[in-house]
Structures are given as C-alpha cells and as structure tokens.
Amino acid sequence: LPAGLSQWFPALEVLDVSGTGLAELGAELLALPHLHTLLAKNNRLGGPGSLPKGLGQAPLGRSLRVLNLSGNRFAEVPPALLGLRALQSLSLGGNRLHGIPPDIQELRSLEFLYLGGNFITSIPPELANLPSLSYLVLCDNKIQSIPPQLAQLHSLRSLSLHNNLLTYLPREILNLVHLEELSLRGNPLVVRFVRDLTYNPPSLQELAGRTIKTRNVPYAPSDLPENLVRYLSLASNCPNPKCGGVYFDSCVRQIKFVDFCGKYRLPLMHYLCSPECSSPCSSASQSSTSQSESDSEDEASVAARRMQKVLLG
C-alpha cells in the first residue's frame, strides 16, 4: 500500500485492494479512523507480516466492521484479527485453514462468518459464544461432527455445511428455532438418506404382475411356470386406501406417525407402491380410514417434505 495513505484520504471508509497481488497490508491502514470496510480477497496474503502489528489497538481496530480476506494463503486465522472487537463480517474462505481457534469467541459483534473452502476438520464449542452470529458458512471443508453447543447460537438464521464429512447431526440442533436455511448436501448422511429413499421404477415383470393382481386376471398353476406363480403370491397391498394397487420389489418408503396408547406418536416406516401415493391428497383417508389415521398420514407427509428440504439444502 502506498505510504501516506492516511494523509491523502483521512476520511476513507471503504478500501478494496482485491486481486492486486498484495503479500502484505502495510501499517498505513492503522491510522485510518473511519475505515469500516476492507476488501483484500484473491491476493497472496498469509505469510509472516501479512497484517500490520497492533491491529486491534489501532484506530482501525475500533472502526472496522467488514473484512474480506478470502482467496489468500492463510494457514490459520491470524491472531491479530481476534482483537477486532467491532467486526461484524469476517470472510476467510478459500484459504488453507485447518482449524478455527477457540479465541474466535472474542469477536463478540460478529454477525457473518465465512470459512468455506478450507481444510477445517472440527468446530470448536467456543464458536457458540458469539451472541449476534446470524450467518455461518462452513461448506467445502472436512468437518466430521457438529458440537451440540452450537444450539446456543440463538440468532443463527443460516448454516451452510454442505460438502463436508458429516454422518450425523446432534439432536440439540433442533433448538435453533430461528434457523431458516440449513444446507447439508454432499455429506455422507444425506447421500445415504437419498440413496435409501431412491425409488427404482418397476421392472416389466413387476408391471405385468401388478396388472394381473389389480385386474384380477384369472390364472392357474398349470398356466404359468412355477417361479412366476410363486412371484405372484408375494404381492403386497399398497396401504393407501385410495390406491388399491399392489407392489412386489419396487416400492416407496415413507415415515408414518402412529398413535401409541393415545399418548405418543411413533414414527414407523411403511411402504407405498408409487411416489404418487405419498402425496397428501392421494393418501388422505375416506370412509375406510379413521380420522386419527388421516391425521397421521398428513403429518407424515409434512414431516417427509421438511426432512427432504432440510437434508437436500
């Protein structure tokens, strides 16, 4: 940065030096008392001396609200940044970070934290001590688990965790009542969930078997080979009262909430003959289904849609 910057532009509020090949930010920045936004992404910052000393104690440390250092070469979150107590937005995406320091909790004013595209393997519980954090981006890392303490982030509205190594979520995450966006695609837990719920189209043999069963086409053991007679005996009735169809190998799995002793509702897996049978309108009961079963079907459909929306991001 040019010497005398603070003398030439004493009232400077926004500075963008992105993509300029900078390897360090000079001490001239420290004397800019009104600078609230500093953008220095896509440079060569990250080595010793990349940031000026005394950053947190300088006038800049009290005025800076937005700092973007994405696309640089930082292997760790620079300790100098942890003194920026007024910082509201910090972006360090696309660097070489392998962890998040517990002292991140010192940035008490932080509302937006972007750490996507690094090599982070774990999340420190101390991250939950940021009372104003609303947007947390940790996508495209190597994170394997979520600490239950994150449920204390009561201001959190968006949590991006896609393309990590998550195999489960802590139950406490349900306490994030203000959460509006949760992105989990590209994690083992979602890949497994989607694979398990994949609907494979019926084979020609199954289509023929369904036709024979649903239309009551008569047949005798002498009319068909023994293996086909055995196959036709394995038909299962679709539980959707409006369908009346059957299935053999190809079916749709769905969660159904069933009353237990009139006190609890248990999530049980049941099987439908096609995806159409899982829609609320087609699975609503008629005279053959009790009102409690109808409520269970509707709740199951809503729960399934919510689950898919959350997991698929």
Side-chain angles (χ1 to χ4, degrees), residues 15-135:
L15 177 61
D16 188 352
V17 291
S18 300
T20 55
L22 286 176
E24 64 179 57
L25 298 175
E28 295 81 9
L29 290 174
L30 302 180
L32 294 172
H34 303 289
L35 189 69
H36 60 72
T37 300
L38 174 57
L39 310 178
K41 56 186 179 180
N42 301 327
N43 282 299
R44 295 186 291 116
L45 302 170
S50 291
L51 301 180
K53 296 181 179 180
L55 187 59
Q57 293 73 36
L60 177 65
R62 296 186 292 271
S63 65
L64 201 60
R65 300 292 188 271
V66 177
L67 177 60
N68 191 329
L69 295 174
S70 293
N72 280 283
R73 303 176 181 180
F74 290 102
E76 62 178 12
V77 176
L81 300 186
L82 303 178
L84 300 175
R85 303 302 172 86
L87 200 63
Q88 297 175 354
S89 175
L90 174 61
S91 299
L92 278 164
N95 276 274
R96 302 171 182 177
L97 305 180
H98 285 79
I100 305 173
D103 287 344
I104 194 78
Q105 64 182 337
E106 301 299 328
L107 301 178
R108 305 285 292 179
S109 299
L110 207 60
E111 299 176 6
F112 178 92
L113 178 59
Y114 190 104
L115 299 175
N118 283 286
F119 303 95
I120 298 170
T121 58
S122 62
I123 303 173
E126 290 80 3
L127 193 63
N129 297 329
L130 297 176
S132 302
L133 193 63
S134 299
Y135 299 89

